[in-house]
Amino acid sequence: MVPTTSTAATACTTPYSATQVYTGGTSASYNGHNWNAKWWTQGEAPSTGGSGVWADQGACGGGSSPTPSTSTGTSTGPSSTPRACELSIWVAGTQYATGTVVKYVPNGKFYVATHDNPGYDPTVSTWYWSPTTCGTDTPSPSPTSSSTTPNPGGFVVSEAQFNQMFPNRNSFYTYSGLVAALKAYPAFANTGSDTVKKQEAAAFLANINHETGGLVYVVEQNTANYPHYCDTTQPYGCPAGQAAYYGRGPIQLSWNFNYKAAGDALGIDLLHNPNLVQTDASVAWQTGIWYWMTQNGPGTMTAHNAMVNGAGFGETIRSINGSLECNGGNPAQVQSRINAYTSFASILGVPTGSNLSC
């Protein structure tokens, strides 16, 4: 059955598009209603639920609004342009049946499965996937996403999303290690609204993505730097050896005084056992979160405070690398971090917020 609309209804405005960015005050029509966006949004279909970003302006008819239908209209081939689709965000390792339509977040495009497959990359496996378009519908949550399956430890990033962010990560950087590390700082990615929580998680993961080449490197690659990280003016010296305090883990923790401070805060003797940061995934993640939550670095605030208090992603960069990158120090490096943050925020379905650069 295709419901009819009253000829007296207000004309429908431009149909909603899952790939379009809407800012406060912009409008779209969806399921026979006109809607106004209250703030920035993308990929969240108009409804009275969700984050509350959409305000219902009442029923509409005529114009260019799509008419609701009980049919899913799923695409069955590369040349098909369905009026509406039931689709999901593509997740590696998820079984997809022929005819399934997915959105591939890295490039924002839609693909239809032309053969059953166990989650092959749509941009690589052209035998199993073909490009398609998907009308005006928005992706429904993946069955492995946090909306249907509670994430371990309540973390706002699901394992599937984590794997999507870091497809080439070193096996050392386990998702379970990250979740275990959350216990050390319960406020991490767990302060403020759901949007702020996800923004902080995206910001943290974007910065460590930059520090480790996409979670590929566990230790600093320039071994010539290793002897430089021993501050002999500290009363406790460098008991593990002058060259033992090089960069390790997701934040690339370095210097004897940072190993001492992180170990004291976490209840782990990292001054005498710095290798724990490269052999124990949970310890490695804890040092990254420790720095994020407690250290201003060369900035004026912690990265955590920058995200939860609205200072913006740019201030997290300043807290990590200061003038080495900010204030024109290395704009290419800053942009690399911003690009990762924008991508990760999109995967988590939240806006980036303002003040992205430093």
Side-chain angles (χ1 to χ4, degrees):
M1 290 291 293
V2 178
T4 59
T5 55
S6 170
T7 56
T10 302
C12 292
T13 187
T14 305
Y16 167 77
S17 171
T19 59
Q20 181 174 332
V21 171
Y22 295 91
T23 56
T26 54
S27 60
S29 59
Y30 187 75
N31 281 350
H33 281 237
N34 283 329
W35 304 80
N36 277 354
K38 300 177 186 177
W39 54 82
W40 189 105
T41 184
Q42 181 183 28
E44 181 175 354
S47 73
T48 54
S51 67
V53 65
W54 291 102
D56 189 353
Q57 302 302 301
C60 66
S64 58
S65 177
T67 305
S69 169
T70 56
S71 171
T72 61
T74 303
S75 171
T76 58
S79 62
S80 175
T81 305
R83 179 179 56 183
C85 299
E86 286 290 335
L87 56 104
S88 302
I89 296 294
W90 173 82
V91 176
T94 298
Q95 184 67 39
Y96 292 104
T98 302
T100 302
V101 179
V102 297
K103 180 179 180 181
Y104 186 72
V105 171
N107 64 14
K109 296 181 180 180
F110 299 100
Y111 296 85
V112 58
T114 48
H115 295 86
D116 292 358
N117 70 88
Y120 295 134
D121 189 312
T123 64
V124 176
S125 301
T126 55
W127 167 256
Y128 293 98
W129 296 98
S130 294
T132 187
T133 54
C134 216
T136 60
D137 275 0
T138 185
S140 58
S142 166
T144 57
S145 74
S146 58
S147 61
T148 56
T149 304
N151 297 338
F155 190 35
V156 294
V157 179
S158 70
E159 185 168 7
Q161 289 168 332
F162 178 74
N163 289 336
Q164 185 176 352
M165 293 171 179
F166 302 103
N168 300 313
R169 65 180 171 84
N170 189 304
S171 59
F172 171 77
Y173 290 112
T174 62
Y175 179 77
S176 59
L178 173 55
V179 171
L182 301 180
K183 298 174 183 177
Y185 290 96
F188 170 72
N190 197 30
T191 303
S193 67
D194 286 343
T195 294
V196 171
K197 293 174 185 176
K198 291 179 179 179
Q199 286 173 334
E200 182 180 7
F204 172 77
L205 293 171
N207 276 298
I208 66 168
N209 172 80
H210 183 83
E211 295 293 323
T212 61
L215 287 186
V216 171
Y217 301 116
V218 177
V219 302
E220 184 175 351
Q221 296 301 289
N222 188 354
T223 56
N225 282 341
Y226 286 14
H228 299 161
Y229 296 120
C230 176
D231 182 358
T232 57
T233 67
Q234 300 296 334
Y236 41 78
C238 299
Q242 181 176 341
Y245 300 98
Y246 51 86
R248 294 179 176 90
I251 207 74
Q252 291 292 280
L253 187 71
S254 53
W255 290 97
N256 55 330
F257 49 81
N258 277 328
Y259 277 88
K260 173 73 161 59
D264 289 349
L266 299 169
I268 307 168
D269 185 3
L270 296 181
L271 181 66
H272 289 85
N273 300 288
N275 274 338
L276 285 174
V277 184
Q278 73 184 69
T279 59
D280 187 314
S282 180
V283 172
W285 283 116
Q286 286 181 65
T287 62
I289 297 174
W290 164 80
Y291 189 94
W292 183 268
M293 297 295 293
T294 68
Q295 302 299 297
N296 291 355
T300 60
M301 64 188 77
T302 66
H304 169 72
N305 285 337
M307 294 307 297
V308 302
N309 293 330
F313 179 73
E315 286 302 313
T316 72
I317 304 174
R318 193 181 303 278
S319 296
I320 292 172
N321 251 5
S323 60
L324 289 176
E325 294 185 16
C326 298
N327 304 324
N330 196 328
Q333 297 295 302
V334 171
Q335 191 59 51
S336 173
R337 294 180 193 265
I338 293 172
N339 291 346
Y341 173 57
T342 302
S343 173
F344 293 174
S346 175
I347 289 174
L348 297 180
V350 293
T352 58
S354 57
N355 302 323
L356 295 183
S357 186
C358 61

